[in-house]
Coordinates of all heavy atoms in Angstrom, one line a residue:
M1 N 0.4 18.0 3.6 CA -0.2 19.1 4.4 C -1.6 18.7 4.7 O -2.4 18.3 3.9 CB -0.1 20.4 3.6 CG -0.7 21.6 4.4 SD -0.4 23.1 3.4 CE -1.8 24.0 3.8
A2 N -2.0 18.9 6.0 CA -3.3 18.6 6.4 C -4.3 19.6 5.9 O -4.0 20.8 5.8 CB -3.3 18.5 8.0
V3 N -5.5 19.1 5.6 CA -6.6 20.0 5.2 C -7.1 20.8 6.3 O -7.5 22.0 6.1 CB -7.7 19.1 4.5 CG1 -8.9 20.0 4.1 CG2 -7.2 18.4 3.3
E4 N -7.2 20.2 7.5 CA -7.7 20.9 8.7 C -6.6 21.3 9.6 O -5.5 20.8 9.5 CB -8.7 20.0 9.4 CG -8.1 18.9 10.2 CD -7.7 17.6 9.4 OE1 -8.3 17.4 8.3 OE2 -6.9 16.9 9.8
D5 N -6.9 22.2 10.5 CA -5.9 22.6 11.5 C -6.3 22.1 12.9 O -7.3 21.4 13.0 CB -5.7 24.2 11.5 CG -6.9 24.9 11.9 OD1 -7.9 24.3 12.6 OD2 -7.0 26.1 11.7
D6 N -5.5 22.3 13.9 CA -5.8 21.8 15.2 C -7.1 22.2 15.8 O -7.8 21.4 16.5 CB -4.6 22.1 16.1 CG -4.3 21.0 17.1 OD1 -4.3 19.8 16.7 OD2 -4.1 21.3 18.3
D7 N -7.5 23.4 15.5 CA -8.8 23.9 15.9 C -10.0 23.1 15.3 O -11.0 22.8 15.9 CB -9.0 25.4 15.6 CG -8.1 26.3 16.5 OD1 -7.7 25.8 17.6 OD2 -7.8 27.4 16.1
D8 N -9.8 22.8 14.0 CA -10.8 22.0 13.3 C -10.9 20.6 13.9 O -12.0 20.1 14.1 CB -10.5 21.9 11.8 CG -10.6 23.2 11.0 OD1 -11.4 24.0 11.4 OD2 -9.8 23.3 10.1
R9 N -9.8 20.0 14.2 CA -9.8 18.7 14.9 C -10.4 18.8 16.2 O -11.2 17.9 16.6 CB -8.3 18.2 15.0 CG -7.7 17.8 13.6 CD -6.4 17.2 13.7 NE -5.3 18.1 13.9 CZ -4.7 18.8 12.9 NH1 -5.1 18.6 11.6 NH2 -3.8 19.7 13.1
A10 N -10.2 19.8 17.0 CA -10.8 20.0 18.3 C -12.4 20.1 18.2 O -13.1 19.5 19.0 CB -10.3 21.2 19.0
T11 N -12.9 20.8 17.2 CA -14.3 20.9 16.9 C -14.9 19.5 16.6 O -15.9 19.1 17.1 CB -14.6 21.8 15.8 OG1 -14.1 23.1 16.1 CG2 -16.1 21.9 15.5
L12 N -14.2 18.7 15.8 CA -14.7 17.4 15.5 C -14.8 16.5 16.7 O -15.7 15.8 16.9 CB -13.8 16.7 14.5 CG -14.1 15.3 14.1 CD1 -15.3 15.2 13.2 CD2 -12.9 14.6 13.4
L13 N -13.8 16.6 17.6 CA -13.8 15.9 18.8 C -14.9 16.3 19.8 O -15.4 15.4 20.5 CB -12.4 15.9 19.5 CG -11.3 15.2 18.7 CD1 -9.9 15.6 19.3 CD2 -11.5 13.7 18.7
V14 N -15.2 17.5 19.8 CA -16.3 18.0 20.7 C -17.6 17.3 20.3 O -18.4 16.9 21.1 CB -16.4 19.5 20.7 CG1 -17.7 20.0 21.2 CG2 -15.3 20.2 21.4
D15 N -17.8 17.2 18.9 CA -19.0 16.7 18.4 C -19.1 15.1 18.6 O -20.2 14.6 18.8 CB -19.2 17.0 16.9 CG -19.4 18.5 16.7 OD1 -19.9 19.2 17.7 OD2 -19.2 19.0 15.6
F16 N -18.0 14.4 18.4 CA -18.0 13.0 18.4 C -17.2 12.3 19.4 O -17.2 11.0 19.4 CB -17.6 12.5 17.0 CG -18.4 13.1 15.9 CD1 -18.0 14.1 15.1 CD2 -19.7 12.5 15.6 CE1 -18.8 14.6 14.1 CE2 -20.5 13.0 14.6 CZ -20.1 14.1 13.8
G17 N -16.5 13.0 20.3 CA -15.5 12.4 21.2 C -16.0 12.1 22.5 O -17.1 12.4 22.9
V18 N -15.2 11.3 23.3 CA -15.4 11.0 24.7 C -14.1 11.4 25.4 O -13.0 11.5 24.8 CB -15.7 9.6 24.9 CG1 -17.0 9.2 24.3 CG2 -14.6 8.7 24.5
V19 N -14.2 11.7 26.7 CA -13.0 12.1 27.5 C -12.3 10.8 27.9 O -12.9 9.9 28.4 CB -13.5 12.9 28.7 CG1 -12.3 13.2 29.6 CG2 -14.1 14.2 28.2
A20 N -11.0 10.8 27.7 CA -10.1 9.8 28.2 C -9.3 10.3 29.3 O -8.9 11.5 29.3 CB -9.2 9.3 27.0
T21 N -8.9 9.5 30.2 CA -7.9 9.9 31.3 C -6.6 9.1 31.0 O -6.6 7.9 31.0 CB -8.5 9.5 32.7 OG1 -9.8 10.1 32.8 CG2 -7.5 9.9 33.7
I22 N -5.6 10.0 30.8 CA -4.2 9.4 30.6 C -3.3 10.1 31.5 O -3.0 11.3 31.3 CB -3.8 9.7 29.1 CG1 -4.9 9.1 28.1 CG2 -2.4 9.1 28.8 CD1 -4.6 9.5 26.7
G23 N -3.0 9.5 32.6 CA -2.2 10.1 33.7 C -3.1 11.2 34.3 O -4.3 11.0 34.6
S24 N -2.6 12.4 34.3 CA -3.4 13.6 34.8 C -4.0 14.3 33.7 O -4.8 15.3 33.9 CB -2.5 14.5 35.6 OG -1.4 15.1 34.7
A25 N -3.8 13.9 32.4 CA -4.4 14.6 31.3 C -5.8 14.0 31.0 O -6.0 12.8 31.2 CB -3.5 14.5 30.1
T26 N -6.7 14.8 30.4 CA -8.0 14.3 30.0 C -8.3 14.8 28.6 O -9.3 15.6 28.4 CB -9.1 14.8 31.0 OG1 -9.0 16.3 31.1 CG2 -8.9 14.2 32.4
P27 N -7.6 14.2 27.6 CA -7.9 14.6 26.2 C -9.2 14.0 25.7 O -9.7 13.0 26.3 CB -6.7 14.0 25.4 CG -6.3 12.8 26.3 CD -6.6 13.3 27.7
T28 N -9.8 14.6 24.8 CA -11.0 14.1 24.1 C -10.6 13.3 22.9 O -9.7 13.7 22.1 CB -12.0 15.2 23.7 OG1 -12.4 16.0 24.8 CG2 -13.2 14.6 23.0
V29 N -11.1 12.0 22.8 CA -10.7 11.1 21.7 C -12.0 10.5 21.1 O -13.1 10.6 21.7 CB -9.8 10.0 22.2 CG1 -8.5 10.5 22.8 CG2 -10.5 9.1 23.3
I30 N -11.8 10.0 19.9 CA -12.9 9.2 19.3 C -12.5 7.7 19.6 O -11.5 7.2 19.2 CB -13.0 9.4 17.8 CG1 -13.5 10.9 17.6 CG2 -14.1 8.5 17.2 CD1 -13.5 11.3 16.2
F31 N -13.4 7.0 20.4 CA -13.1 5.6 20.8 C -13.8 4.7 19.9 O -15.0 4.9 19.5 CB -13.5 5.4 22.2 CG -13.4 4.0 22.7 CD1 -12.1 3.6 23.0 CD2 -14.4 3.2 22.9 CE1 -11.9 2.2 23.4 CE2 -14.3 1.9 23.4 CZ -13.0 1.4 23.6
D32 N -13.2 3.6 19.5 CA -13.8 2.6 18.7 C -13.3 1.2 19.1 O -12.1 1.0 19.4 CB -13.4 2.8 17.2 CG -14.0 1.8 16.3 OD1 -15.2 1.4 16.5 OD2 -13.4 1.4 15.3
A33 N -14.2 0.3 19.3 CA -13.9 -1.1 19.7 C -14.6 -2.1 18.7 O -15.2 -3.0 19.2 CB -14.2 -1.3 21.1
A34 N -14.4 -1.9 17.4 CA -15.1 -2.7 16.5 C -14.7 -4.1 16.5 O -13.5 -4.4 16.8 CB -14.9 -2.1 15.1
Y35 N -15.6 -5.0 16.3 CA -15.3 -6.5 16.2 C -14.9 -6.8 14.8 O -15.4 -6.2 13.8 CB -16.5 -7.3 16.7 CG -16.5 -7.4 18.2 CD1 -17.2 -6.5 19.0 CD2 -15.9 -8.5 18.8 CE1 -17.2 -6.6 20.3 CE2 -15.9 -8.6 20.2 CZ -16.5 -7.6 20.9 OH -16.5 -7.7 22.3
F36 N -14.1 -7.8 14.6 CA -13.7 -8.3 13.3 C -13.4 -9.8 13.4 O -13.1 -10.3 14.5 CB -12.6 -7.5 12.7 CG -11.3 -7.6 13.5 CD1 -10.3 -8.6 13.2 CD2 -11.0 -6.8 14.6 CE1 -9.1 -8.7 13.9 CE2 -9.8 -6.8 15.3 CZ -8.9 -7.8 15.0
E37 N -13.3 -10.5 12.3 CA -12.9 -11.9 12.3 C -11.5 -11.9 12.1 O -10.9 -11.5 11.1 CB -13.7 -12.6 11.2 CG -13.4 -14.1 11.3 CD -14.2 -14.9 10.2 OE1 -15.1 -14.3 9.6 OE2 -13.9 -16.1 10.0
D38 N -10.8 -12.5 13.0 CA -9.3 -12.6 13.0 C -9.0 -14.0 12.4 O -8.8 -14.9 13.1 CB -8.7 -12.4 14.4 CG -7.2 -12.3 14.4 OD1 -6.6 -12.2 13.3 OD2 -6.6 -12.4 15.5
G39 N -8.9 -14.0 11.1 CA -8.6 -15.3 10.4 C -7.2 -15.5 10.0 O -6.6 -14.6 9.5
I40 N -6.7 -16.6 10.2 CA -5.3 -17.0 9.8 C -5.4 -18.2 8.9 O -5.9 -19.3 9.4 CB -4.4 -17.2 11.0 CG1 -4.3 -16.0 11.8 CG2 -3.0 -17.7 10.5 CD1 -3.5 -16.1 13.1
G41 N -5.0 -18.1 7.7 CA -5.1 -19.3 6.8 C -6.5 -19.6 6.4 O -7.4 -18.7 6.3
E42 N -6.8 -20.8 6.1 CA -8.1 -21.2 5.6 C -9.0 -21.6 6.8 O -8.5 -21.8 7.9 CB -8.0 -22.4 4.7 CG -7.2 -22.1 3.4 CD -7.1 -23.3 2.5 OE1 -8.0 -24.2 2.6 OE2 -6.2 -23.4 1.7
G43 N -10.3 -21.5 6.6 CA -11.2 -21.9 7.6 C -11.7 -20.7 8.4 O -11.3 -19.6 8.1
P44 N -12.6 -20.9 9.3 CA -13.2 -19.8 10.0 C -12.2 -19.2 11.0 O -11.3 -19.9 11.5 CB -14.4 -20.5 10.8 CG -14.0 -21.9 10.9 CD -13.2 -22.2 9.6
G45 N -12.3 -17.9 11.2 CA -11.5 -17.2 12.1 C -12.1 -17.1 13.5 O -13.2 -17.6 13.7
A46 N -11.5 -16.4 14.3 CA -12.0 -16.1 15.7 C -12.5 -14.7 15.7 O -11.8 -13.8 15.2 CB -11.0 -16.4 16.7
D47 N -13.6 -14.4 16.4 CA -14.0 -13.0 16.6 C -13.1 -12.4 17.6 O -12.6 -12.9 18.5 CB -15.4 -13.0 17.2 CG -16.5 -13.3 16.1 OD1 -16.2 -13.3 14.9 OD2 -17.6 -13.7 16.5
S48 N -12.8 -11.1 17.3 CA -11.9 -10.4 18.1 C -12.2 -8.9 18.1 O -13.1 -8.5 17.3 CB -10.4 -10.6 17.6 OG -9.5 -10.0 18.5
S49 N -11.6 -8.1 18.9 CA -11.8 -6.6 18.8 C -10.5 -6.0 18.9 O -9.5 -6.6 19.4 CB -12.7 -6.1 19.9 OG -12.1 -6.2 21.1
R50 N -10.4 -4.8 18.4 CA -9.2 -4.0 18.5 C -9.5 -2.6 18.9 O -9.7 -1.7 18.1 CB -8.5 -4.0 17.1 CG -7.2 -3.2 17.1 CD -6.6 -3.3 15.7 NE -5.3 -2.7 15.7 CZ -4.6 -2.4 14.6 NH1 -5.0 -2.8 13.5 NH2 -3.4 -1.8 14.7
P51 N -9.7 -2.4 20.2 CA -10.0 -1.0 20.7 C -9.0 0.0 20.3 O -7.8 -0.3 20.3 CB -10.1 -1.2 22.2 CG -9.9 -2.6 22.5 CD -9.5 -3.3 21.3
A52 N -9.4 1.1 19.9 CA -8.5 2.2 19.5 C -9.1 3.6 19.9 O -10.3 3.7 20.0 CB -8.3 2.1 18.0
A53 N -8.2 4.5 20.1 CA -8.6 5.9 20.4 C -7.9 6.8 19.4 O -6.7 6.8 19.3 CB -8.3 6.2 21.8
L54 N -8.7 7.6 18.7 CA -8.1 8.6 17.8 C -8.2 10.0 18.4 O -9.2 10.4 19.0 CB -9.0 8.6 16.5 CG -8.7 9.7 15.5 CD1 -7.4 9.5 14.8 CD2 -9.8 9.9 14.5
G55 N -7.1 10.7 18.4 CA -7.0 12.0 19.0 C -6.0 12.9 18.3 O -5.3 12.5 17.4
R56 N -6.0 14.2 18.8 CA -5.1 15.1 18.2 C -3.7 14.8 18.6 O -3.4 14.5 19.8 CB -5.4 16.5 18.6 CG -6.8 17.0 18.2 CD -7.0 18.5 18.5 NE -6.8 18.8 19.9 CZ -6.7 20.0 20.4 NH1 -6.9 21.1 19.6 NH2 -6.6 20.2 21.7
T57 N -2.7 14.8 17.7 CA -1.4 14.5 18.1 C -0.9 15.5 19.1 O -0.1 15.1 20.0 CB -0.5 14.6 16.8 OG1 -0.9 13.6 15.9 CG2 1.0 14.4 17.1
S58 N -1.3 16.7 19.1 CA -0.9 17.7 20.1 C -1.4 17.3 21.5 O -0.7 17.7 22.5 CB -1.5 19.1 19.8 OG -2.9 19.1 19.7
D59 N -2.4 16.5 21.6 CA -2.9 16.0 22.9 C -2.3 14.7 23.3 O -2.2 14.4 24.5 CB -4.4 15.8 22.9 CG -5.2 17.1 22.8 OD1 -4.7 18.2 23.2 OD2 -6.4 17.1 22.3
L60 N -1.8 13.9 22.4 CA -1.3 12.6 22.6 C 0.2 12.4 22.4 O 0.7 11.3 22.5 CB -2.1 11.6 21.8 CG -3.6 11.6 21.9 CD1 -4.3 10.6 21.0 CD2 -4.1 11.3 23.4
S61 N 0.9 13.5 22.2 CA 2.3 13.3 21.8 C 3.2 12.7 22.9 O 4.2 12.1 22.6 CB 2.9 14.7 21.4 OG 2.8 15.6 22.5
S62 N 2.8 12.8 24.1 CA 3.6 12.2 25.2 C 3.2 10.8 25.6 O 3.8 10.2 26.5 CB 3.6 13.1 26.4 OG 2.2 13.1 27.0
V63 N 2.2 10.2 24.9 CA 1.7 8.9 25.3 C 2.7 7.9 24.7 O 3.1 8.0 23.5 CB 0.3 8.6 24.7 CG1 -0.2 7.2 25.0 CG2 -0.7 9.6 25.3
A64 N 3.0 6.9 25.5 CA 3.9 5.8 25.1 C 3.3 4.4 25.2 O 2.3 4.3 25.9 CB 5.2 5.9 25.9
I65 N 3.9 3.4 24.7 CA 3.4 2.1 24.8 C 3.4 1.7 26.3 O 4.3 2.1 27.0 CB 4.3 1.1 24.0 CG1 4.1 1.4 22.5 CG2 4.1 -0.3 24.3 CD1 5.0 0.6 21.6
D66 N 2.5 1.0 26.7 CA 2.2 0.5 28.1 C 1.6 1.6 29.0 O 1.4 1.4 30.2 CB 3.5 0.0 28.8 CG 3.9 -1.4 28.2 OD1 3.1 -2.1 27.7 OD2 5.1 -1.7 28.2
T67 N 1.3 2.7 28.4 CA 0.6 3.8 29.2 C -0.9 3.3 29.5 O -1.5 2.7 28.6 CB 0.6 5.1 28.4 OG1 1.9 5.5 28.2 CG2 -0.2 6.2 29.1
S68 N -1.4 3.6 30.7 CA -2.8 3.3 31.0 C -3.7 4.4 30.5 O -3.4 5.6 30.6 CB -3.0 3.1 32.5 OG -2.3 1.9 32.9
V69 N -4.8 4.0 29.9 CA -5.8 4.9 29.4 C -7.2 4.4 30.0 O -7.5 3.3 29.9 CB -5.9 4.9 27.9 CG1 -7.0 5.8 27.4 CG2 -4.5 5.3 27.3
V70 N -7.9 5.4 30.6 CA -9.3 5.0 31.1 C -10.3 5.7 30.2 O -10.3 7.0 30.0 CB -9.4 5.4 32.5 CG1 -10.9 5.1 33.0 CG2 -8.4 4.7 33.4
I71 N -11.2 4.9 29.6 CA -12.3 5.5 28.8 C -13.6 4.9 29.3 O -13.7 3.6 29.4 CB -12.1 5.2 27.3 CG1 -10.8 5.8 26.8 CG2 -13.3 5.6 26.5 CD1 -10.4 5.4 25.4
A72 N -14.5 5.7 29.7 CA -15.9 5.2 30.1 C -15.7 4.2 31.3 O -16.5 3.2 31.3 CB -16.7 4.7 29.0
G73 N -14.8 4.4 32.2 CA -14.6 3.6 33.3 C -13.9 2.3 33.1 O -13.7 1.5 34.0
T74 N -13.4 2.0 31.8 CA -12.7 0.8 31.5 C -11.2 1.2 31.3 O -10.9 2.2 30.6 CB -13.2 0.2 30.2 OG1 -14.6 -0.2 30.5 CG2 -12.5 -1.1 29.9
T75 N -10.3 0.4 31.9 CA -8.9 0.7 31.7 C -8.3 -0.1 30.6 O -8.6 -1.3 30.4 CB -8.1 0.3 33.0 OG1 -8.7 1.1 34.1 CG2 -6.6 0.6 32.9
Y76 N -7.5 0.5 29.8 CA -6.8 -0.1 28.6 C -5.3 0.2 28.8 O -4.9 1.2 29.4 CB -7.3 0.5 27.3 CG -8.8 0.3 27.1 CD1 -9.7 1.3 27.5 CD2 -9.2 -0.8 26.4 CE1 -11.1 1.1 27.3 CE2 -10.6 -1.0 26.2 CZ -11.5 0.0 26.7 OH -12.8 -0.2 26.4
K77 N -4.5 -0.6 28.1 CA -3.1 -0.4 28.0 C -2.8 0.0 26.5 O -3.3 -0.7 25.6 CB -2.3 -1.6 28.4 CG -0.8 -1.5 28.3 CD -0.1 -2.7 28.8 CE -0.3 -3.8 27.8 NZ 0.5 -5.0 28.1
V78 N -1.9 1.0 26.3 CA -1.5 1.3 24.9 C -0.6 0.3 24.4 O 0.5 0.0 25.0 CB -0.9 2.7 24.9 CG1 -0.4 3.0 23.5 CG2 -1.9 3.8 25.4
T79 N -0.9 -0.3 23.3 CA 0.0 -1.3 22.7 C 0.7 -0.8 21.4 O 1.7 -1.3 21.0 CB -0.7 -2.6 22.3 OG1 -1.7 -2.3 21.3 CG2 -1.3 -3.3 23.5
S80 N 0.2 0.3 20.9 CA 0.9 1.0 19.7 C 0.4 2.4 19.6 O -0.7 2.7 19.9 CB 0.4 0.2 18.4 OG 1.0 0.8 17.3
V81 N 1.4 3.3 19.3 CA 1.1 4.7 19.1 C 1.3 5.0 17.6 O 2.4 4.8 17.1 CB 2.0 5.6 19.9 CG1 1.7 7.1 19.7 CG2 1.8 5.2 21.4
Q82 N 0.3 5.5 16.9 CA 0.4 5.6 15.4 C 0.0 7.0 14.9 O -1.1 7.3 14.5 CB -0.5 4.6 14.7 CG -0.2 3.2 15.1 CD -1.2 2.1 14.5 OE1 -2.2 2.5 13.9 NE2 -0.9 0.9 14.7
P83 N 1.0 8.0 15.0 CA 0.7 9.3 14.5 C 0.7 9.2 12.9 O 1.4 8.5 12.3 CB 1.9 10.1 14.9 CG 3.0 9.1 15.2 CD 2.3 7.8 15.6
D84 N -0.3 10.0 12.3 CA -0.4 9.9 10.9 C 0.4 11.0 10.1 O 0.4 11.0 8.9 CB -1.9 9.9 10.5 CG -2.5 11.3 10.6 OD1 -1.9 12.2 11.2 OD2 -3.7 11.4 10.2
G85 N 1.0 11.9 10.9 CA 1.8 12.9 10.2 C 1.0 14.1 9.7 O 1.5 15.1 9.1
H86 N -0.3 14.1 10.0 CA -1.3 15.1 9.6 C -2.0 15.7 10.8 O -3.1 16.3 10.6 CB -2.2 14.7 8.5 CG -1.5 14.2 7.3 ND1 -1.0 15.1 6.4 CD2 -1.2 13.0 6.8 CE1 -0.4 14.5 5.4 NE2 -0.6 13.2 5.6
G87 N -1.6 15.4 12.0 CA -2.2 16.0 13.2 C -3.1 15.1 14.0 O -3.6 15.4 15.0
W88 N -3.2 13.8 13.5 CA -4.0 12.8 14.3 C -3.1 11.7 14.7 O -2.1 11.4 14.1 CB -5.1 12.2 13.4 CG -6.2 13.1 13.0 CD1 -6.4 13.7 11.8 CD2 -7.3 13.5 13.8 NE1 -7.5 14.4 11.8 CE2 -8.1 14.4 13.0 CE3 -7.6 13.3 15.1 CZ2 -9.2 15.0 13.5 CZ3 -8.8 13.9 15.6 CH2 -9.6 14.8 14.8
T89 N -3.4 11.1 15.9 CA -2.7 9.9 16.3 C -3.7 8.9 16.8 O -4.7 9.2 17.4 CB -1.8 10.3 17.5 OG1 -0.8 11.2 17.1 CG2 -1.2 9.0 18.2
V90 N -3.5 7.6 16.4 CA -4.3 6.5 16.8 C -3.5 5.8 17.9 O -2.4 5.4 17.7 CB -4.6 5.6 15.7 CG1 -5.4 4.4 16.2 CG2 -5.4 6.3 14.6
L91 N -4.2 5.5 19.0 CA -3.7 4.7 20.1 C -4.4 3.3 20.0 O -5.6 3.2 20.1 CB -3.9 5.3 21.5 CG -3.4 6.7 21.7 CD1 -3.9 7.1 23.1 CD2 -1.9 6.8 21.6
I92 N -3.6 2.3 19.7 CA -4.1 0.9 19.7 C -4.1 0.5 21.2 O -3.1 0.6 21.9 CB -3.3 0.0 18.8 CG1 -3.3 0.5 17.4 CG2 -4.0 -1.4 18.9 CD1 -4.6 0.8 16.7
L93 N -5.3 -0.1 21.7 CA -5.5 -0.3 23.1 C -5.7 -1.8 23.3 O -6.2 -2.5 22.4 CB -6.6 0.5 23.6 CG -6.6 2.0 23.4 CD1 -7.9 2.7 23.7 CD2 -5.4 2.6 24.1
E94 N -5.4 -2.2 24.5 CA -5.7 -3.6 25.0 C -6.5 -3.5 26.3 O -6.0 -2.8 27.3 CB -4.4 -4.4 25.2 CG -4.6 -5.8 25.7 CD -3.3 -6.5 25.8 OE1 -2.8 -7.0 24.8 OE2 -2.7 -6.5 26.9
K95 N -7.6 -4.1 26.4 CA -8.4 -4.0 27.6 C -7.7 -4.7 28.8 O -7.2 -5.8 28.6 CB -9.8 -4.6 27.4 CG -10.8 -4.4 28.5 CD -12.1 -4.9 28.2 CE -13.1 -4.8 29.3 NZ -14.5 -5.3 28.9
Q96 N -7.7 -4.1 29.9 CA -7.0 -4.7 31.1 C -8.0 -5.3 32.0 O -9.1 -5.0 32.1 CB -6.2 -3.6 31.9 CG -5.2 -3.0 31.0 CD -4.1 -4.0 30.6 OE1 -3.3 -4.4 31.4 NE2 -4.1 -4.4 29.3

């Protein structure tokens, strides 16, 4: 059971979110494009990023893989949809 309800999640998004455009919908999401070292095996890895958008499942329930998402004027394609079962969904994105 989630500690917060959908109204609590909406309040968090108002404080920390940005508007995304997904088709005709404009949900508020928390966008992150952190860099990390993508290492395989021994030796140095390659720098990479994994853009992601966190939003309320109620706002993102119809989003599917290959859906276009526009955030701050940049277009991304959804590569994974990851609902957590507690009211949040993470969209893993790929810059187009």
Side-chain angles (χ1 to χ4, degrees):
M1 180 172 146
V3 174
E4 73 279 338
D5 63 20
D6 215 41
D7 291 334
D8 295 329
R9 288 184 280 277
T11 300
L12 178 72
L13 292 170
V14 166
D15 292 340
F16 299 103
V18 296
V19 174
T21 302
I22 305 172
S24 61
T26 54
T28 300
V29 299
I30 296 174
F31 178 71
D32 183 33
Y35 277 88
F36 63 94
E37 185 176 349
D38 188 10
I40 298 174
E42 295 181 24
D47 287 339
S48 186
S49 69
R50 183 177 182 189
L54 171 72
R56 297 186 308 170
T57 298
S58 61
D59 292 335
L60 303 177
S61 62
S62 65
V63 176
I65 292 173
D66 291 332
T67 300
S68 290
V69 177
V70 179
I71 300 173
T74 301
T75 302
Y76 300 88
K77 177 178 73 172
V78 176
T79 61
S80 179
V81 178
Q82 303 175 353
D84 73 354
H86 298 285
W88 293 105
T89 294
V90 176
L91 303 177
I92 304 301
L93 307 170
E94 180 180 277
K95 189 174 179 179
Q96 297 299 288

